[in-house]
Amino acid sequence: MDVQTEMPANATAGSTLPDEEIHRIIMEREQECLQLEAMNSTPPPGPYCRLTFDGWSCWPNTPAGATAYVPCPNFITGFDASLRAHKYCELNGTWFRHPESGQVWSNYTTCVNLKDLSWQQGINGLYEAGYAISLIALLLSLGILTYFRSLRCARITLHMNLFASFAVNNALWLVWYRCIVANTDLLLNNGMTCRLLHIVLHYFLLTNYAWMLCEGFYLHTLLVSAFTSEQKLVKWLMILGWPVPAIIVTIYACLRATSNDLTDTEQCWINEGNYMNVLVYPVCVSTLLNVLFLFNIVRVLLMKLRAGPSIGTQPSRSMRQAFRATLLLVPLLGLHYLVIPFRPPKNHPWEHFYEVLSAITASFQGLCVAILFCFCNGEVIAQFKRKWEGSAFLRNRANSCTATTVSFIRSTAGPMSGEETV
């Protein structure tokens, strides 16, 4: 049997498996090729290309002028095992040689599903666009809340922590898609830096949901326990918003780092792996608790509204606005993780719809937070109106003073000119 070295010098190039595992797979394939040659000892009539192993696949005896086809190797990243590679046998009974290198060549370019690759690139572009738009909206929101110092209160402090969490998370996602996902060499090297970025990114992802839980718990506590100190409550919520997600992510990172499954440790942990539930369950619990808080808030609000205009029973306007914003936001933020168990299998008719829905719900969360808690916040709008009306008043007053001055000058100039003419 001809054993030809047609692949690059590093036969493991393009694979995310360890070198030992790749060599084992290649040796098994070569042994199978030898067995196939022993079983087919009778050569076909006429000129033909002899059975050969090219370093990845075994090519059978092929008549001159014909093309041989084999399944694409499934241990090469980016290759679709359902597709086929091909190899052409020349009319003189020799395998085709590449015109540039002069080496015997197998065509594996057909192993890449270009249509699927183009679709995935489009989905990644949707993620990037969503995170970029959300990041701009969040930074603008933080700037607005920082500028208007009169807005500072416990509830706005929670909003600012939520915005900061989302802003950092969105910025890290942009770095992830630009520097990690698009860099095949970095994924293959699976260095410590990219894995650390994965851990930090998912920490801030958890803080998003932790601060949403803080928002719901804060609103619920103020309505149910009217005599609670807001400042003390915010201090306790700070512990829930930042340190608790760190504990969860640490457990997740330790499980993945010590796993023996390659899906957990390869490619900068870009795959979900076997321990994604360590992150998913806390998010689902957070979303469920917020839903329960909202149900109880609705009950309390209805009771207060039915009680009539009694002193101390009517909820404030700002409280009702915060409730409406939270009511809209909580299901939206939890949707991304709640639909994970219903992910359709590969090539399912709903697969593309699911991927688009996931991209939109995940990347535009920050924009929704900014719109509901800042841009549509009645207090923020009132501050802008007050600022605008104040500026308009100053402009009108300045114009009035200018007009008065001009009028005074003209009135004094008249008699003086008259006296000069006399």
Side-chain angles (χ1 to χ4, degrees):
M1 178 186 71
D2 257 349
V3 179
Q4 302 167 355
T5 306
E6 303 172 17
M7 298 300 103
N10 178 11
T12 66
S15 177
T16 58
L17 298 177
D19 290 352
E20 296 79 9
E21 181 68 13
I22 293 294
H23 289 308
R24 183 189 65 79
I25 293 173
I26 290 176
M27 289 297 295
E28 288 181 357
R29 283 175 165 250
E30 187 175 355
Q31 290 300 319
E32 291 173 0
C33 201
L34 289 170
Q35 294 174 6
L36 182 62
E37 183 184 36
M39 293 171 57
N40 299 309
S41 55
T42 305
Y48 71 97
C49 296
R50 293 182 59 190
L51 179 145
T52 183
F53 182 74
D54 66 3
W56 281 353
S57 303
C58 183
W59 300 91
N61 294 330
T62 305
T67 301
Y69 293 90
V70 298
C72 295
N74 58 2
F75 55 89
I76 303 299
T77 301
F79 279 9
D80 188 340
S82 64
L83 301 177
R84 295 193 301 170
H86 62 273
K87 191 178 183 70
Y88 179 68
C89 181
E90 301 280 8
L91 295 175
N92 59 2
T94 60
W95 291 110
F96 171 79
R97 291 179 179 271
H98 197 279
E100 294 182 2
S101 65
Q103 295 282 332
V104 176
W105 187 68
S106 306
N107 193 342
Y108 287 98
T109 60
T110 55
C111 289
V112 179
N113 190 332
L114 296 178
K115 184 178 179 181
D116 183 67
L117 177 63
S118 176
W119 170 260
Q120 292 303 325
Q121 289 175 342
I123 291 295
N124 289 346
L126 181 58
Y127 273 108
E128 290 184 32
Y131 286 127
I133 293 171
S134 295
L135 179 60
I136 294 171
L138 289 163
L139 293 177
L140 185 59
S141 299
L142 281 170
I144 291 171
L145 296 182
T146 303
Y147 178 76
F148 292 113
R149 296 184 179 275
S150 57
L151 290 174
R152 295 294 178 83
C153 64
R155 182 163 51 83
I156 295 300
T157 300
L158 294 181
H159 291 349
M160 293 182 73
N161 277 276
L162 179 65
F163 292 163
S165 170
F166 267 97
V168 176
N169 180 248
N170 288 359
L172 289 173
W173 273 118
L174 288 173
V175 173
W176 179 261
Y177 277 101
R178 283 289 176 181
C179 301
I180 307 298
V181 175
N183 193 333
T184 306
D185 293 335
L186 193 61
L187 288 173
L188 296 176
N189 290 334
N190 194 29
M192 178 61 70
T193 303
C194 65
R195 283 179 284 169
L196 182 61
L197 177 61
H198 172 93
I199 295 170
V200 175
L201 189 155
H202 282 81
Y203 163 70
F204 280 100
L205 180 62
L206 279 187
T207 61
N208 295 345
Y209 295 95
W211 278 108
M212 273 308 305
L213 179 61
C214 291
E215 293 272 1
F217 183 75
Y218 171 83
L219 189 60
H220 178 268
T221 303
L222 288 190
L223 282 175
V224 175
S225 304
F227 301 102
T228 302
S229 170
E230 293 189 36
Q231 298 302 324
K232 289 183 179 180
L233 180 59
V234 169
K235 289 180 181 179
W236 281 105
L237 292 178
M238 286 287 183
I239 299 175
L240 173 61
W242 296 114
V244 172
I247 297 172
I248 297 172
V249 169
T250 301
I251 296 172
Y252 165 77
C254 292
L255 290 172
R256 288 202 71 158
T258 56
S259 174
N260 294 323
D261 193 333
L262 293 174
T263 58
D264 292 321
T265 57
E266 66 182 12
Q267 284 186 282
C268 296
W269 298 5
I270 195 172
N271 300 313
E272 290 187 355
N274 298 312
Y275 299 103
M276 184 55 67
N277 287 338
V278 176
L279 304 180
V280 173
Y281 288 155
V283 170
C284 292
V285 169
S286 170
T287 305
L288 180 60
L289 287 175
N290 258 337
V291 171
L292 294 176
F293 287 153
L294 286 172
F295 277 132
N296 199 40
I297 289 169
V298 170
R299 182 184 65 81
V300 174
L301 282 175
L302 290 176
M303 288 175 59
K304 289 191 175 186
L305 290 172
R306 288 172 182 172
S310 303
I311 297 175
T313 60
Q314 288 291 313
S316 66
R317 179 171 175 271
S318 61
M319 194 66 69
R320 291 197 298 269
Q321 288 177 338
F323 161 69
R324 285 195 294 268
T326 309
L327 179 64
L328 291 172
L329 197 59
V330 169
L332 179 62
L333 292 186
L335 181 61
H336 177 61
Y337 274 109
L338 292 176
V339 298
I340 282 180
F342 307 102
R343 172 176 293 177
K346 192 72 175 173
N347 299 322
H348 190 277
W350 289 90
E351 180 188 9
H352 285 181
F353 172 78
Y354 176 88
E355 291 180 348
V356 172
L357 178 66
S358 295
I360 292 174
T361 56
S363 63
F364 285 96
Q365 286 178 352
L367 177 63
C368 295
V369 168
I371 290 173
L372 293 174
F373 282 149
C374 182
F375 301 147
C376 293
N377 188 313
E379 296 172 357
V380 174
I381 294 172
Q383 288 291 330
F384 271 106
K385 285 182 178 179
R386 193 175 296 115
K387 188 74 174 177
W388 173 260
E389 290 170 356
S391 301
F393 174 74
L394 290 175
R395 286 197 301 270
N396 292 335
R397 186 174 180 182
N399 292 336
S400 176
C401 290
T402 304
T404 304
T405 304
V406 171
S407 176
F408 175 75
I409 292 172
R410 286 178 178 176
S411 64
T412 55
M416 288 177 64
S417 63
E419 289 174 359
E420 289 176 357
T421 57
V422 176

